[in-house]
Amino acid sequence: MLLALDLSTAHGSIAVVHGDDVLYQSSFQSERSHNAQVFAPLKEALAAAGNHLTGIVIGNGPGSYTGVRIAIAAAQGIALSRNIWCAAWCSLAGLDLDTPATYQIIGDARRQSFYLASIENGRLLPDLEIVSAEIAQKKASDCGIWYTTDPKAPLNLPVQIAKPDAAKLAKIVQSLPPDELAALIAQPLIPHYLAEAFITLPKRPLSTP
């Protein structure tokens, strides 16, 4: 039985999954206050699971850094208290609609850039691209159906807006082969960074005493 959380967008999602059965599912809208809104449904989810949880899955983005960090902190706290494992999976891999096995995602990567991603059978393909607005506009206009987890369509493109679904993320992870699941559990829980952190350097050297 798995508990799953995704707080990578303004739409929070929590679920408890056992095999094909979703024993609990809740969602909430929160622009910048996941920490204030997540604990009531999380308490309900834990009550629904009882003492039968074996692991926790969090969606690690890409998306809201703060939201993903809250999900990580909550998962680690619960996992430590219950002596169970926790693991991260790409939030883009489980959307709240009947998507095809393979689909494409576009999203705002900030600093006037956009990310283009492909999902295949519940997995993020490794060639995620960070591109300019011009390239994003051309690629997303030229081929296939595109989705976004942004609150509105990037660049006013005709893309479909979707939200990560915690229950779908849990089902993907529970279906992994045992060796792959073990390797995933061994990895640290970190947000999916689209780019290196941007650090502003001081214009003048700091004075020393």
Side-chain angles (χ1 to χ4, degrees):
M1 185 180 296
L2 299 182
L3 168 68
L5 302 88
D6 191 282
L7 308 179
S8 64
T9 72
H11 176 88
S13 179
I14 299 176
V16 176
V17 171
H18 185 207
D20 292 331
D21 298 326
V22 179
L23 305 183
Y24 175 87
Q25 191 162 24
S26 178
S27 62
F28 55 90
Q29 192 72 17
S30 173
E31 294 302 325
R32 293 184 179 272
S33 59
H34 280 317
N35 59 330
Q37 303 217 25
V38 67
F39 291 105
L42 185 55
K43 182 178 179 180
E44 294 174 356
L46 291 173
N51 296 319
H52 304 294
L53 278 182
T54 56
I56 305 173
V57 178
I58 64 111
N60 68 340
S64 165
Y65 176 83
T66 300
V68 173
R69 294 298 299 180
I70 291 170
I72 288 173
Q76 289 177 326
I78 296 168
L80 183 63
S81 67
R82 298 196 174 206
N83 193 30
I84 58 178
W85 57 263
C86 50
W89 198 257
C90 177
S91 300
L92 305 178
L95 301 183
D96 65 340
L97 41 81
D98 293 326
T99 59
T102 298
Y103 56 92
Q104 295 170 297
I105 302 272
I106 181 173
D108 189 351
R110 305 294 187 266
R111 305 177 203 162
Q112 300 180 335
S113 62
F114 297 83
Y115 71 84
L116 308 177
S118 294
I119 302 295
E120 186 172 295
N121 296 321
R123 298 172 184 270
L124 173 68
L125 299 185
D127 52 349
L128 186 148
E129 298 179 85
I130 306 295
V131 299
S132 66
E134 292 77 16
I135 294 175
Q137 183 108 36
K138 184 178 187 307
K139 288 198 172 186
S141 298
D142 284 349
C143 56
I145 298 174
W146 288 70
Y147 298 93
T148 185
T149 58
D150 292 351
K152 61 180 182 179
L155 302 171
N156 294 316
L157 288 164
V159 301
Q160 298 185 28
I161 296 174
K163 305 177 184 71
D165 185 299
K168 288 193 174 183
L169 293 173
K171 289 183 178 183
I172 291 169
V173 171
Q174 75 176 3
S175 69
L176 295 176
D179 57 341
E180 185 176 357
L181 178 59
L184 184 69
I185 292 169
Q187 297 177 14
L189 296 183
I190 58 174
H192 185 128
Y193 296 106
L194 290 172
E196 296 293 332
F198 181 74
I199 301 173
T200 302
L201 298 175
K203 293 182 179 179
R204 293 182 299 178
L206 297 176
S207 59
T208 54

